[in-house]
Amino acid sequence: MLVSRELPMNIQHDVSLKPYNTFGIDVFAHAFVGVTTHEELDDTLFHVCGFERSFVLGGGSNVLFTRNFDGLVVHLALRGIRVYSEDDEFVTIESSAGERWDDLVQYCVERNWGGIENLSLIPGTVGAAPVQNIGAYGVELQDTIVCVQGVMRQTGDQRIFTREQCRFGYRDSVFKRELRDQCIVTSIRLRLRKNPRAEHLSVRYGAIAAELGQKLLSECTIRDVSEAVRRIRRSKLPNPAELGNAGSFFKNPEVTHEVAERIKREFPAMPLFPALKDAPLVKLPAGWLIEQCGWKGKRIGNTGAHIQQALVLVNYGGASGNEVFACAQAIQESVQVRFGVRLEMEVNIV
Ligand SMILES: Cc1cc2nc3c(=O)[nH]c(=O)nc-3n(C[C@H](O)[C@H](O)[C@H](O)COP(=O)(O)OP(=O)(O)OC[C@H]3O[C@@H](n4cnc5c(N)ncnc54)[C@H](O)[C@@H]3O)c2cc1C
């Protein structure tokens, strides 16, 4: 239950969110509070009721602000990583939500704890990672997660969600759906393998295997994998510090085998992700679909699809959130008309 506290709330007014989102969109929050302790979080929850709307912000690497936010932005910066339990083979670590995701990855790689090295260099915070079940290079957060701890915004009640209760899917979880805007993730626990052997590493993903090159896969370490992923990402993705973006703007659409076959007949060059055995749906490469519609490198005003990665929309400087959103809608429309497939936005539109 929420209890009123006397702590002074460090709420600021009319704060620019430009430094807090990787698109670099310049909108203002009516009210803004940075939360670094659980006491401050309790206090914030007590005050949240006084605002019509509130929004939890981590690293701002998966949001597109399309207007000023007329409520309270809660910038979560709870820190701390600890070993929760361990045995000879596995370690369970607990990380607070405000830790940078990639700091956590590096912390584990340094200790030779395997499981999240393929997720190296993904921007953002630990707390947002379960929200969209981050994934890259054949690995998703759900592969190592034990549970998510959170606090309910309305009541202040603390909850623990097991992996099953998180209902993870492709860039999806209960926190994006039924519990959207209801639960603030405060920490997560991951179960990682100590000193993994090469056979435990996930290196079958084409780009990683190619990057590891001549190195015998049987001799690879998690540091090798992490460094390979870092090199690939740096060569392929625009750095938000130089060019505003939020990574992939759209999810790869999942369609039935019939639809995939129909498109493949018409466009034999379309690459297909290997279908999982007995899976009812097939993923189509959104980047390829967008590229075929002529969007790769296309610029409209201050925004457009990146020259190397059509899936990544960028802010060339001074773009408004609405400009980027309109471009995203135009891309959706082109893909729908050409392929009959609806692209779903991965980025959260606020
Ligand atoms: C260059 C680049 C590359 C990327 N590559 C990948 C990739 O390979 N794979 C991938 O999956 N993603 C990728 N992303 C997207 C992004 O990094 C992830 O979605 C990341 O988890 C977002 O973290 P964040 O802290 O920035 O979240 P924010 O952008 O701050 O928030 C995202 C959403 O989560 C909610 N949220 C944030 N924190 C909490 C919390 N503690 N409790 C409850 N809700 C919360 C917010 O309200 C919002 O709805 C990339 C982004 C960029 C810019």
Side-chain angles (χ1 to χ4, degrees):
M1 288 298 286
L2 289 174
V3 180
S4 171
R5 288 168 187 265
E6 297 305 316
L7 288 175
M9 277 295 296
N10 189 20
I11 293 180
Q12 298 165 267
H13 288 278
D14 299 323
V15 173
S16 168
L17 295 178
K18 192 172 177 187
Y20 296 101
N21 71 98
T22 59
F23 254 121
I25 303 292
D26 197 9
V27 291
F28 281 77
H30 167 65
F32 181 97
V33 64
V35 169
T36 56
T37 64
H38 284 271
E39 289 72 26
E40 284 176 0
L41 182 56
D42 279 359
D43 197 34
T44 299
L45 290 176
F46 183 75
H47 285 79
V48 152
C49 326
F51 292 89
E52 246 171 55
R53 301 172 68 206
S54 63
F55 182 76
V56 181
L57 185 63
S61 64
N62 202 22
V63 286
L64 175 66
F65 290 109
T66 55
R67 66 191 74 163
N68 290 334
F69 191 78
D70 56 4
L72 174 68
V73 170
V74 179
H75 184 234
L76 209 61
L78 301 170
R79 307 302 291 269
I81 303 173
R82 70 177 180 120
V83 170
Y84 177 76
S85 66
E86 63 183 318
D87 58 28
D88 290 346
E89 243 185 305
F90 292 97
V91 57
T92 299
I93 53 163
E94 184 170 283
S95 171
S96 295
E99 290 289 340
R100 281 182 62 235
W101 170 259
D102 192 48
D103 288 349
L104 178 64
V105 174
Q106 294 196 46
Y107 178 95
C108 298
V109 169
E110 274 161 23
R111 284 159 181 77
N112 208 18
W113 296 339
I116 53 174
E117 56 281 357
N118 293 45
L119 305 180
S120 294
L121 216 57
I122 295 182
T125 55
V126 165
V131 175
Q132 76 148 3
N133 181 25
I134 55 169
Y137 302 103
V139 168
E140 289 183 318
L141 183 73
Q142 66 169 336
D143 302 334
T144 48
I145 206 152
V146 176
C147 66
V148 170
Q149 302 185 78
V151 55
M152 303 309 288
R153 286 198 207 184
Q154 291 298 321
T155 58
D157 290 344
Q158 298 198 0
R159 293 269 308 271
I160 296 185
F161 300 89
T162 61
R163 180 175 33 196
E164 290 66 34
Q165 288 170 330
C166 292
R167 310 245 297 276
F168 289 120
Y170 164 55
R171 301 297 172 276
D172 200 19
S173 75
V174 72
F175 309 105
K176 243 181 141 172
R177 297 192 177 273
E178 293 88 335
L179 295 181
R180 190 182 190 96
D181 294 334
Q182 290 186 47
C183 176
I184 300 177
V185 174
T186 52
S187 65
I188 66 171
R189 281 185 209 147
L190 302 176
R191 184 168 183 261
L192 305 172
R193 187 183 283 275
K194 286 176 167 177
N195 308 316
R197 291 191 300 276
E199 73 230 41
H200 296 127
L201 305 179
S202 189
V203 289
R204 274 162 302 158
Y205 202 90
I208 299 187
E211 181 64 29
L212 288 168
Q214 295 308 311
K215 184 145 193 161
L216 280 178
L217 293 185
S218 58
E219 288 173 7
C220 280
T221 63
I222 59 171
R223 184 175 293 280
D224 292 330
V225 175
S226 173
E227 284 171 2
V229 168
R230 281 168 204 282
R231 285 195 299 275
I232 299 169
R233 295 185 71 98
R234 286 199 179 105
S235 70
K236 284 192 170 171
L237 289 168
N239 178 354
E242 290 158 12
L243 192 60
N245 75 88
S248 304
F249 201 93
F250 301 97
K251 290 166 70 165
N252 291 316
E254 295 181 291
V255 298
T256 60
H257 288 271
E258 290 71 36
V259 172
E261 278 157 24
R262 189 230 338 127
I263 299 175
K264 187 78 184 166
R265 268 199 305 278
E266 217 178 316
F267 304 90
M270 178 176 70
L272 274 178
F273 294 110
L276 294 176
K277 198 168 169 281
D278 300 332
L281 298 176
V282 188
K283 263 189 218 165
L284 303 183
W288 187 88
L289 299 175
I290 297 168
E291 209 178 315
Q292 297 310 302
C293 297
W295 282 97
K296 193 172 180 180
K298 189 167 175 176
R299 179 170 176 166
I300 304 179
N302 294 322
T303 187
H306 189 245
I307 186 90
Q308 274 180 291
Q309 287 290 338
L311 196 48
V312 177
L313 302 194
V314 296
N315 173 6
Y316 287 104
S320 71
N322 275 324
E323 250 182 296
V324 180
F325 187 58
C327 177
Q329 286 180 312
I331 290 174
Q332 269 179 328
E333 175 72 17
S334 315
V335 170
Q336 178 81 52
V337 169
R338 181 124 198 233
F339 297 100
V341 170
R342 177 86 184 151
L343 289 182
E344 189 187 331
M345 295 186 194
E346 178 178 316
V347 172
N348 297 278
I349 312 298
V350 185

